[in-house]
Amino acid sequence: MAASRPTLTASDERAEIEAIYRELEQRPQLNQCTSLAQCCQFRLTGRVPMLTLGEALYAARAVRASGRRSLPQRQDGACPLLDALGRCSIYRHRPFGCRTHFCQQAGGGYPRKKVADLIQRLDSLDETLGGNGPRALPSYLQDLLVGRSAPQKRRI
Ligand code: SF4
């Protein structure tokens, strides 16, 4: 018989995500984000942050808390969470990849081996919540916000 998943409340989910982000912040860090938002220009970098479900829920709730019900369609290929001034509109709630993928001006990316344990915790949380592994930020958040992802719908 398949093992049942432990039940987590929204509060439990949030606590685990915040604990992971807090632990990342406490690690010795050679590189530093200076909010240039260059890594948010997906078309230019050719890279899009991949989110596990816990990260996506945490970010989507921040979007909702700001009064937005969906994300804008951007024609420039940049992250839909950039505000009119070109800054991240959910900076305190930004996903793990945004916290570790530093641009060259900020010193380059975080070595994966330094954060492998935190990535493992994100993957475990994803599995517990019934996620299907990492998905690209724009479509994942939009699906959660408009209720296209059934298991996650009630959580936003
Ligand atoms: S969530 Fe924020 S930090 Fe991450 S890519 Fe989007 S605008 Fe940039």
Side-chain angles (χ1 to χ4, degrees):
M1 191 187 339
S4 61
R5 292 193 190 101
T7 305
L8 284 186
T9 65
S11 171
D12 294 332
E13 292 164 29
R14 188 171 59 247
E16 173 63 352
I17 286 292
E18 288 178 348
I20 292 169
Y21 291 168
R22 199 163 46 243
E23 195 162 322
L24 176 66
E25 284 171 11
Q26 288 166 357
R27 294 196 174 179
Q29 197 168 305
L30 298 174
N31 308 340
Q32 190 66 47
C33 173
T34 52
S35 300
L36 290 173
Q38 291 185 353
C39 62
C40 314
Q41 303 293 332
F42 303 153
R43 189 175 294 161
L44 295 180
T45 63
R47 298 182 66 175
V48 176
M50 301 296 287
L51 276 57
T52 54
L53 181 52
E55 299 167 81
L57 289 166
Y58 192 66
R61 288 197 190 100
V63 175
R64 249 319 147 68
S66 70
R68 289 171 286 177
R69 315 281 313 170
S70 66
L71 298 179
Q73 297 281 338
R74 292 190 66 123
Q75 302 304 315
D76 61 359
C79 180
L81 292 165
L82 283 177
D83 66 17
L85 297 175
R87 298 175 306 204
C88 178
S89 60
I90 59 156
Y91 193 76
R92 283 182 48 240
H93 296 82
R94 70 199 188 284
F96 191 83
C98 306
R99 296 165 190 259
T100 53
H101 173 71
F102 297 118
C103 62
Q104 289 309 311
Q105 285 85 342
Y110 223 113
R112 188 179 170 86
K113 65 183 178 188
K114 300 272 188 195
V115 291
D117 59 323
L118 299 180
I119 293 171
Q120 177 60 48
R121 280 171 65 183
L122 290 170
D123 287 342
S124 294
L125 183 61
D126 184 81
E127 191 174 334
T128 300
L129 295 172
N132 288 312
R135 284 184 52 194
L137 181 154
S139 60
Y140 208 177
L141 288 192
Q142 190 72 312
D143 282 356
L144 289 171
L145 287 166
V146 303
R148 269 198 294 262
S149 297
Q152 296 91 333
K153 186 176 173 182
R154 65 182 187 276
R155 298 176 181 277
I156 299 296

